[in-house]
Amino acid sequence: MTLKLGWIGLGNMGQPMVTRLLQAGFDVTVYNRTRAKAEAFVEQGAKVANSPQELAEQVDTVITMVADGATLEEVLYGESGVIHGVRAGQTVIDMSTVGPEPVRFAAEAFLQRGVKFLEAPVSGSVGPAKEGTLVILVGGEEQAYEQHKPVFDVLGKASFHFGESGQGAQAKLAINLLLGVVLQGLSEALVLGSKAGLDRETLLRAIGVTACAAPIVLGKTPSILAGEYPAAFSLKHMEKDFGLALDEAKKVEAALPATSAAHQTYVAAKANGLGDQDIMAVLAHLERMSGLK
Ligand code: NAP
């Protein structure tokens, strides 16, 4: 039987992910706070629900891809939230990055209604979301993971079941702190280069053939050279994820000195108006700190 899917959250990530599911032939109903973004999917074959509750009443599996923990709380447990529309036997999957606590809470809350809950946050930004090459990090019951593998296979090039609820979320935080620290490192290398009078394009070309040439470094090169940072993964979301990683580190007694320092940089960049720009705008912030334009 083909699963009827309900999708909540049509932001930078949700939009390309839903397009892929529709193109793969899934029956998808969508809900988004800003309704116009949901209506835009009707011509691709989606149905539109008026609320998260109504959406849950119409589908087998609800998937959420929203900004943060507060938003997840709102769409799951708010006045017309998902929890008021579910019935036993359904599954709810959160693909946002919210950390382990909200997903453990949700797993418990939905279990009491006979509903399974998985967290399945993703690594990869808008490009991989369009191409279906995300990496999906799953926590929750293994059988529910296996049942939804066909969905994950449309969205990602790989999915990993880490174990019980919260463990997919923990894996996501570990991977994202690496992303944020790497891009701060790249930015500092470029700032040093510029202050020393090196040609930026040549320096980037050189970095691009060293052992430090991660795909993310190569992928950000055009936007660095243009000095323009339209959001694929917004800087404010990276700052959120650093905060979640450090909360988790405190709980499990993990010392993360570089993460703490990088978090402060992203806090300052956000406070200086760069939150809605792409994560790579951390470079613009570090340039200002060093008196570069
Ligand atoms: P986004 O573009 O900021 O979209 C956020 C979504 O949440 C939108 O659908 C927005 O609705 C909705 N939302 C925000 N506040 C809401 C509220 N109070 N009530 C109801 N809905 C609300 O975010 P994104 O880039 O798609 O990222 C989504 C999640 O994936 C985040 O947790 C992010 O950390 C994670 N993630 C992002 C990337 C990336 O590269 N972008 C990569 C991996 C993981 P409106 O349309 O009405 O604003």
Side-chain angles (χ1 to χ4, degrees), residues 1-4 26 60 147:
M1 186 193 76
T2 315
L3 287 170
K4 278 175 131 180
F26 280 97
D60 302 308
Q147 187 194 2

Side-chain angles (χ1 to χ4, degrees), residues 187-198 200 283-293:
S187 298
E188 292 191 13
L190 295 176
V191 166
L192 177 63
S194 293
K195 293 295 284 194
L198 301 182
R200 176 159 289 182
L283 171 58
H285 176 72
L286 289 163
E287 285 172 335
R288 280 183 215 157
M289 280 175 72
S290 287
L292 292 164
K293 73 164 179 53

Side-chain angles (χ1 to χ4, degrees), residues 30-79:
V30 294
Y31 167 81
N32 193 63
R33 174 181 63 172
T34 307
R35 192 180 169 99
K37 290 189 201 167
E39 297 287 355
F41 279 84
V42 171
E43 65 179 25
Q44 290 183 43
K47 284 161 268 180
V48 178
N50 292 311
S51 68
Q53 175 178 348
E54 187 186 290
L55 176 130
E57 285 164 358
Q58 294 172 0
V59 302
D60 302 308
T61 296
V62 176
I63 304 177
T64 51
M65 188 54 163
V66 294
D68 51 24
T71 308
L72 184 66
E73 207 174 296
E74 174 66 26
V75 301
L76 293 185
Y77 321 114
E79 202 180 321

Side-chain angles (χ1 to χ4, degrees), residues 167-239:
Q167 293 193 305
Q170 285 163 323
K172 170 62 183 167
L173 296 182
I175 290 170
N176 256 32
L177 79 80
L178 181 59
L179 171 69
V181 169
V182 164
L183 291 189
Q184 172 154 353
L186 173 65
S187 298
E188 292 191 13
L190 295 176
V191 166
L192 177 63
S194 293
K195 293 295 284 194
L198 301 182
D199 177 66
R200 176 159 289 182
E201 187 172 358
T202 309
L203 181 56
L204 276 165
R205 279 185 19 233
I207 292 171
V209 291
T210 66
C212 305
I216 188 73
V217 172
L218 301 176
K220 294 295 181 191
T221 295
S223 116
I224 292 170
L225 290 175
E228 287 169 6
Y229 309 107
F233 178 44
S234 62
L235 188 142
K236 69 181 177 198
H237 286 329
M238 186 66 245
E239 190 276 322

